[in-house]
Amino acid sequence: MNYIKHLTKALHVFSKDDRLNTTHISMYLALFQYWNLNRFSNPVSISRGEIMALSKIGSKSTYHKCIKDLHRWNYIRYYPSYNPFKGSKVVLFNLGTGSKQVPVRNRPDNKQALIRSSTNNVQVQVPSKTYKNYKQNKHKLSIYIEFENVKKFFLENKSTEAEAEIFFNYYESTGWKIGGKAEIKNWQAAARNWIIKADEKRKEKIENAVDQNSNYLHVNNDKDYDIPL
């Protein structure tokens, strides 16, 4: 694995891909640094907090969006962990220096599966065992819900961006599962129920506040004004 040649190739690919912004590139470089520190072995375990600090990403929603974009666009393979005591894993591809691909070192099986990206026409390598595991567990990686879509849905349903972020962060932490068990099949339906409950709680708070204020304003018409204050 040649550190300089890989980065040169990666930056060349980035310059041709209009979907990427500076945050995507910053995250990729942070992930690459992790890969380098682990002697380019795959997969590499990552810490969200450390990746955010290294890439200068301050928002969790931006972090999740960027890493899922990189996964979807075939720059990495992302295997999220919903266990707070166990880090997520990422597979980075050896871009090589040309048509001849260089095997990733520190792997017991050097047979590689080539995947061609339909967008940037670049071949990337995935170790065959990892690729087989990905195919077998493909359904586990199918839920990639973007925060921007959630925010748009909440605003269209007369809710707020703050409520959308609470909803998104809650289910992102549970792996988009109801009660930590059943996967959500329709997140829009779950969002509608969330909005309804949030409105009910808001109305209940207003009613309670009105009741409290009415108690404070209660006047005793039988007050004896001969009694000193």
Side-chain angles (χ1 to χ4, degrees), residues 68-85:
K68 290 171 184 177
D69 284 347
L70 292 176
H71 168 92
R72 187 169 58 253
W73 298 335
N74 289 324
Y75 284 101
I76 64 171
R77 276 288 167 264
Y78 173 52
Y79 298 91
S81 169
Y82 303 114
N83 184 340
F85 302 103

Side-chain angles (χ1 to χ4, degrees), residues 9-68:
K9 180 69 175 181
L11 293 174
H12 174 73
V13 172
F14 295 160
S15 68
K16 303 295 182 182
D17 193 340
D18 294 334
R19 298 168 304 179
L20 297 172
N21 57 38
T22 54
T23 311
H24 291 108
I25 296 172
S26 177
M27 171 169 282
Y28 182 88
L29 294 177
L31 293 172
F32 181 81
Q33 177 65 4
Y34 257 64
W35 196 32
N36 173 43
L37 294 175
N38 284 271
R39 299 180 180 274
F40 303 108
S41 62
N42 273 319
V44 58
S45 180
I46 63 171
S47 163
R48 183 184 65 191
E50 293 180 3
I51 292 295
M52 288 178 66
L54 192 59
S55 59
K56 302 301 180 184
I57 295 176
S59 167
K60 291 181 182 178
S61 59
T62 301
Y63 167 87
H64 288 295
K65 181 182 185 304
C66 285
I67 199 167
K68 290 171 184 177

Side-chain angles (χ1 to χ4, degrees), residues 15-181:
S15 68
K16 303 295 182 182
D17 193 340
D18 294 334
R19 298 168 304 179
L20 297 172
N21 57 38
T22 54
T23 311
H24 291 108
I25 296 172
S26 177
M27 171 169 282
Y28 182 88
L29 294 177
L31 293 172
F32 181 81
Q33 177 65 4
Y34 257 64
W35 196 32
N36 173 43
L37 294 175
N38 284 271
R39 299 180 180 274
F40 303 108
S41 62
N42 273 319
V44 58
S45 180
I46 63 171
S47 163
R48 183 184 65 191
E50 293 180 3
I51 292 295
M52 288 178 66
L54 192 59
S55 59
K56 302 301 180 184
I57 295 176
S59 167
K60 291 181 182 178
S61 59
T62 301
Y63 167 87
H64 288 295
K65 181 182 185 304
C66 285
I67 199 167
K68 290 171 184 177
D69 284 347
L70 292 176
H71 168 92
R72 187 169 58 253
W73 298 335
N74 289 324
Y75 284 101
I76 64 171
R77 276 288 167 264
Y78 173 52
Y79 298 91
S81 169
Y82 303 114
N83 184 340
F85 302 103
K86 185 179 180 182
S88 298
K89 294 185 182 298
V90 171
V91 172
L92 283 91
F93 309 136
N94 183 357
L95 298 180
T97 57
S99 59
K100 185 178 180 180
Q101 300 288 327
V102 181
V104 176
R105 290 182 288 185
N106 301 322
R107 294 290 298 173
D109 181 5
N110 282 331
K111 295 181 179 179
Q112 306 265 332
L114 290 178
I115 302 176
R116 181 174 292 278
S117 169
S118 59
T119 55
N120 52 27
N121 204 32
V122 175
Q123 283 188 327
V124 294
Q125 292 180 317
V126 185
S128 58
K129 288 184 178 179
T130 303
Y131 183 62
K132 289 177 182 177
N133 290 337
Y134 167 70
K135 290 177 68 179
Q136 292 170 0
N137 298 313
K138 189 175 181 180
H139 65 283
K140 294 183 179 180
L141 300 176
S142 61
I143 301 178
Y144 285 107
I145 300 171
E146 303 292 347
F147 173 69
E148 290 302 317
N149 293 334
V150 173
K151 181 176 73 172
K152 181 181 178 182
F153 183 86
F154 270 68
L155 294 177
E156 288 175 349
N157 285 271
K158 299 181 180 179
S159 188
T160 64
E161 181 177 346
E163 199 65 49
E165 188 166 4
I166 294 172
F167 169 84
F168 180 85
N169 290 338
Y170 174 79
Y171 280 109
E172 187 78 6
S173 67
T174 64
W176 293 94
K177 293 182 179 180
I178 299 175
K181 296 179 181 180

Side-chain angles (χ1 to χ4, degrees), residues 160-227:
T160 64
E161 181 177 346
E163 199 65 49
E165 188 166 4
I166 294 172
F167 169 84
F168 180 85
N169 290 338
Y170 174 79
Y171 280 109
E172 187 78 6
S173 67
T174 64
W176 293 94
K177 293 182 179 180
I178 299 175
K181 296 179 181 180
E183 287 189 358
I184 292 178
K185 295 182 180 179
N186 187 330
W187 71 262
Q188 290 92 340
R192 279 191 290 270
N193 288 334
W194 185 283
I195 293 171
I196 291 171
K197 291 180 180 179
D199 287 340
E200 289 175 350
K201 289 181 180 179
R202 192 179 304 106
K203 290 178 182 178
E204 185 178 348
K205 285 183 178 179
I206 293 173
E207 290 174 356
N208 290 337
V210 170
D211 290 340
Q212 289 178 1
N213 289 335
S214 63
N215 290 333
Y216 293 145
L217 296 174
H218 178 71
V219 177
N220 185 0
N221 293 327
D222 298 328
K223 178 175 176 60
D224 186 354
Y225 290 95
D226 291 334
I227 300 175

